Amino acid sequence: AKGAQPASADLLTPELLSTMLEHLKFCYDLVLLNGPALLAVSDALLMAKLVDQRVYVVEHDKTPREAVTRGLNTLSDAGLQVSGVVLTKVDLSRHAEPYAASYESYHV
């Protein structure tokens, strides 16, 4: 192999990401970023600082409550508000709430 090539993630500097986001916001009404797990990668906090709004995604019955709390505290400590939380992979058949069946069509 020739010389080692840097990983694409290593090329994405905060300045480049910020410039790219500003360009995308100029061209599009809505730009969604899907970032890595907040507690696993420092790039996730960088991304969270550059966007206008943040939605925290939690996998039901898999993500430990302590990890959710730490992640939300990390954002709060950085002065970042969360616009909402999404709970994914909920097994509606395991829940006895009478209204749960009405949401089944939304479950993917």
Side-chain angles (χ1 to χ4, degrees):
K2 290 187 173 184
Q5 296 293 321
S8 59
D10 295 335
L11 299 174
L12 193 59
T13 64
E15 296 80 17
L16 180 61
L17 181 57
S18 179
T19 301
M20 181 182 67
L21 285 174
E22 288 305 315
H23 178 72
L24 290 170
K25 285 166 49 176
F26 179 77
C27 295
Y28 299 98
D29 295 331
L30 178 66
V31 178
L32 297 174
L33 295 182
N34 181 9
L38 182 62
L39 297 177
V41 183
S42 61
D43 291 346
L45 187 57
L46 165 69
M47 289 175 67
K49 290 178 180 180
L50 294 175
V51 298
D52 297 327
Q53 295 186 35
R54 286 151 286 303
V55 175
Y56 199 79
V57 179
V58 178
E59 186 174 346
H60 183 258
D61 272 350
K62 184 166 183 187
T63 307
R65 185 179 301 243
E66 302 79 37
V68 174
T69 301
R70 268 188 304 142
L72 291 171
N73 286 338
T74 297
L75 292 169
S76 179
D77 291 347
L80 303 172
Q81 293 183 341
V82 174
S83 298
V85 177
V86 174
L87 189 60
T88 66
K89 300 182 183 178
V90 176
D91 183 359
L92 296 178
S93 66
R94 291 182 42 208
H95 299 281
E97 292 87 6
Y99 66 87
S102 65
Y103 290 102
E104 195 163 335
S105 63
Y106 297 106
H107 185 60
V108 178

